[in-house]
Amino acid sequence: RNYANWDTFKIYQRIIIGNLMNLLFITMDGARKDRIVKAKNYSKLIEKGLFFSTAITYAPFTIAAMHAVFSGTYGTRTGVNSYWSNINFKKDLYKTLPGYMKDKGYVTYADVINKLVLPPAGFDEFIIHDELTENLTERHLKLIDKFNSLRKNGKNFFLYLHYSNIHTGIMEKVLKKYNNFSKEYFENKDKNEKFYDELFSAADDYLGKIIDYCNEINLFEDTLLVVISDHGIGAGEKFGERAYGVFCYDYTLVSTALFCNKKLPNLKIDQQVRSIDILPTILEILDISPDSNFMPIQGQSLIPLSHGMNEPRIAFSQSGNPLDSNKPPKEPNVYSVRTDEWKYIKNVHDDSEELYFLIDDPGENVNLIDTEKEKADQMRSEMNRILDS
C-alpha cells in the first residue's frame, strides 16, 4: 500500500493493530537464519507472523547485541560496545523496553542466562537460570503458566525468556575445546555443522512446545509474541573465528525478528532491517510513545515496511578481534556497515578494509576494496557518518 502521508498511515495502523495488552519476548540465543527459515516449528510460526528474515545485529555477541535491542540504540551511544562494557550503560539517558512496560503498569519478569546480558532496570524480577542444568522447556512453560494466571486476574505482563542452550553447547564443545586458530576445528566444517544442527533441532523443539502451549491457553488473543535471534554462530567458515564475536561476517550478523498476533499481518519481509528497530516496533504495536525525557531512540519502527513503505536502512555493527589473546578486547576493533547489496568492513586493529557485493558473493569471499573504489568511498563515508553521530 502507498499512503499519502505518515499521519494517514498511523491512523490506519492503529485501527488494524490496536492496543495489545501483554508481551512475551523470547530470544533464541545463537540461532542462525539459514536454519530458522527451514526449521519445522519455526517455519509454522513464521507463516502466522510478521517475519523479518534479515535483521542485522549490532554485535555478534549477546551482551552488546541485547543492550542495543532493548534500548533501540547502538552501543556507540549507550556505552555498551564490548563484552566488558555493560556497566557503562547510560541508564539515565536511554530508556529500555522493561522501563516502558513498567511505566505502563505491566508486571515485568526476565529469565536470563546471566546478569550481564540485559539492562535490568524496569524488571520486577530478574532471574538467572543455570544454563548447564536447567530444563528450559519445563522452566519456561511453568513461567508462562504463572503469567497466564496473572492475565486471568486482569494484570498485564511482560515476560522475557532467554533460550540459551545453543550458546551453552557451543561454549562447552567448541569455545572451551578450541581456540580461533585450531586447525582441527577449521578442517572439520561438516562435523561442526552437524553439531550445530543438533543444538538447533533441540531449540526448534523448545519453540514448538512453547507455542503449542500458548495456543492451548489462547495466550495470543491479547498478547504480542516477539521471537528474535540475537546473533548467528559460525561453524568454521572463516579461519580465526571458531564461533562468533570476532569478525563482522553475515553468518554471525544476520539475525531475525518475528512479531506474532492475530491482528498483525502474516508477512515475510526479506529487506534488511536492524536489531535497533525492534524496540520502536514493539512500542508502535503497543501504542506506547517514546519517552521525551530520555535520548531519542535511534532505531525506527518496522511497521511501515509491512504496509509497503520502502525504507532502505543501513545497518552498523561492531565486534572485537582478540587477535592472539584468549580474551576479547575492551574496545571494538572491527566495524561494518551493510546494505541489502553491499558490506564494508574496517579492521581497526590492522587498518585493513574489506568490501563485498553480497548479491553475487553471499559468503564474503571476494574482497572488492581495490576495484570498486567509488562504492568503497560511499560505504566508508556512511560508516564515518554513523561513528561521528
Side-chain angles (χ1 to χ4, degrees):
R1 293 175 183 270
N2 295 316
Y3 296 91
N5 56 58
W6 180 243
D7 290 336
T8 302
F9 169 77
K10 292 276 286 184
I11 293 171
Y12 177 85
Q13 179 253 324
R14 283 195 177 121
I15 291 172
I16 293 298
I17 297 176
N19 186 16
L20 301 172
M21 301 304 292
N22 304 301
L23 174 60
L24 174 60
F25 192 125
I26 303 174
T27 294
M28 305 293 286
D29 194 328
R32 288 177 55 132
K33 170 189 172 176
D34 54 0
R35 269 57 167 191
I36 286 172
V37 297
K38 297 178 181 179
K40 179 181 67 173
N41 294 306
Y42 236 124
S43 295
K44 291 178 182 177
L45 189 58
I46 289 170
E47 292 176 357
K48 298 179 180 179
L50 176 57
F51 180 64
F52 295 88
S53 68
T54 313
I56 307 303
T57 186
Y58 162 64
F61 51 93
T62 304
I63 294 171
M66 291 308 301
H67 278 74
V69 169
F70 267 42
S71 65
T73 303
Y74 291 136
T76 51
R77 296 187 181 185
T78 68
V80 185
N81 62 1
S82 74
Y83 279 91
W84 315 102
S85 58
N86 68 301
I87 59 173
N88 298 329
F89 182 67
K90 300 172 184 177
K91 62 181 180 180
D92 294 330
L93 295 179
Y94 293 95
K95 191 169 185 176
T96 59
L97 179 58
Y100 278 102
M101 300 294 100
K102 183 67 176 174
D103 285 352
K104 287 295 182 178
Y106 285 63
V107 177
T108 56
Y109 187 105
D111 186 79
V112 297
I113 184 174
N114 65 53
K115 65 181 181 179
L116 305 178
V117 297
L118 297 179
F123 281 113
D124 295 313
E125 293 187 73
F126 191 85
I127 307 301
I128 299 168
H129 63 246
D130 187 336
E131 61 175 307
L132 295 174
T133 63
E134 292 279 0
N135 183 317
L136 292 183
T137 301
E138 294 180 359
R139 180 184 179 91
H140 290 171
L141 286 174
K142 289 178 181 178
L143 284 172
I144 291 171
D145 195 51
K146 172 184 175 180
F147 282 88
N148 186 47
S149 297
L150 291 178
R151 166 181 171 243
K152 290 180 178 178
N153 290 326
K155 295 182 179 180
N156 302 334
F157 70 82
F158 164 38
L159 174 59
Y160 175 83
L161 304 176
H162 196 108
Y163 181 82
S164 56
N165 285 358
I166 296 176
H167 158 84
T168 303
I170 294 295
M171 177 183 69
E172 292 295 299
K173 301 296 185 180
V174 177
L175 298 180
K176 289 184 177 181
K177 185 176 180 180
Y178 306 103
N179 64 41
N180 284 325
F181 305 99
S182 297
K183 289 185 178 180
E184 179 186 353
Y185 180 75
F186 290 96
E187 291 175 355
N188 288 281
K189 190 168 180 290
D190 289 344
K191 177 183 176 181
N192 304 338
E193 289 196 345
K194 182 179 179 181
F195 175 61
Y196 180 84
D197 286 339
E198 291 173 357
L199 296 174
F200 187 87
S201 178
D204 190 55
D205 288 343
Y206 158 90
L207 187 61
K209 290 175 182 177
I210 294 293
I211 300 308
D212 284 347
Y213 184 66
C214 289
N215 286 327
E216 181 182 327
I217 62 176
N218 296 316
L219 189 69
F220 301 135
E221 291 295 318
D222 56 5
T223 299
L224 171 66
L225 171 67
V226 178
V227 182
I228 73 164
S229 54
D230 55 346
H231 57 76
I233 287 179
E237 285 89 342
K238 303 282 187 179
F239 188 72
E241 183 174 45
R242 65 199 189 279
Y244 58 91
V246 175
F247 301 140
C248 281
Y249 296 122
D250 272 6
Y251 56 82
T252 63
L253 290 191
V254 178
S255 55
T256 62
L258 175 69
F259 305 86
C260 193
N261 181 273
K262 66 178 183 178
K263 295 182 180 179
L264 288 170
N266 299 337
L267 287 175
K268 180 175 179 287
I269 296 176
D270 294 325
Q271 176 183 329
Q272 170 181 292
V273 299
R274 296 87 52 92
S275 63
I276 59 171
D277 298 329
I278 292 170
L279 171 63
T281 304
I282 293 172
L283 298 184
E284 187 79 34
I285 293 172
L286 297 179
D287 198 16
I288 298 174
S289 298
D291 192 333
S292 60
N293 294 312
F294 292 82
M295 294 293 288
I297 295 171
Q298 198 171 11
Q300 298 171 287
S301 172
L302 299 173
I303 296 300
L305 302 185
S306 71
H307 293 288
M309 288 188 173
N310 184 21
E311 294 180 332
R313 304 179 185 206
I314 294 177
F316 172 74
S317 302
Q318 290 183 318
S319 191
N321 190 333
L323 304 176
D324 295 328
S325 172
N326 290 325
K327 294 183 179 180
K330 292 186 177 181
E331 293 293 330
N333 58 18
V334 182
Y335 301 158
S336 76
V337 285
R338 189 189 192 279
T339 68
D340 280 305
E341 296 181 343
W342 291 91
K343 164 85 74 64
Y344 168 78
I345 299 173
K346 173 68 173 180
N347 298 295
V348 179
H349 55 85
D350 63 2
D351 199 32
S352 65
E353 299 174 293
E354 302 169 57
L355 181 70
Y356 300 102
F357 184 53
L358 301 173
I359 304 303
D360 292 342
D361 182 23
E364 298 165 283
N365 296 311
V366 182
N367 186 1
L368 303 175
I369 195 67
D370 293 326
T371 57
E372 296 287 344
K373 295 185 181 297
E374 183 176 349
K375 177 56 67 173
D377 288 342
Q378 178 186 345
M379 298 292 282
R380 188 183 301 112
S381 177
E382 288 292 346
M383 175 176 287
N384 291 334
R385 177 185 63 79
I386 293 171
L387 289 172
D388 291 343
S389 70

